[in-house]
Amino acid sequence: MEQAEAISRVHALLSASLVLWGAAQVMGPREDADTLTVREPDGSVVLIIGPAPAALKDIFRWSATPRKGAARNSSSVLGLLDTVRDMLGLEPNSLSVRLGVTGTTS
């Protein structure tokens, strides 16, 4: 999967997650082809999300950087969701996410 497609899919997942979490923040338009933004209702940027720095690519895949503070890196999309929720100060709700793989290969 190309980076642009991965960013597009993460954008959709994060947008839907913010709705499920009842967050006031919204996903903003991409600043460029490799980053996403989470914005407050007034339009101010809260987080910038994108690929981890090249030097860390062997360990981490995603990076979330708050408006003020240090970036936090995640090795998976679920880790990124947890990081974003934590950075926004959102409490986990009773909705659980279950991932599964269906189908078979020959």
Side-chain angles (χ1 to χ4, degrees), residues 4-99:
E5 184 179 349
I7 290 286
S8 178
R9 290 180 180 194
V10 168
H11 181 273
L13 180 61
L14 284 171
S15 293
S17 296
L18 289 171
V19 171
L20 285 173
W21 297 334
Q25 296 86 358
V26 296
M27 289 299 302
R30 290 186 236 181
E31 298 295 323
D32 59 47
D34 289 331
T35 62
L36 305 170
T37 58
V38 178
R39 299 177 184 273
E40 293 288 356
D42 67 4
S44 60
V45 173
V46 181
L47 298 172
I48 297 174
I49 299 160
L56 300 174
K57 286 277 189 198
D58 291 341
I59 303 169
F60 298 110
R61 181 166 177 153
W62 301 103
S63 178
T65 306
R67 179 176 46 211
K68 296 177 183 175
R72 286 178 45 194
N73 298 303
S74 302
S75 58
S76 69
V77 173
L78 290 178
L80 178 64
L81 288 175
D82 189 47
T83 297
V84 168
R85 189 174 63 207
D86 184 53
M87 286 182 154
L88 295 177
L90 301 171
E91 294 292 324
N93 57 27
S94 62
L95 293 174
S96 62
V97 175
R98 296 176 200 250
L99 298 177

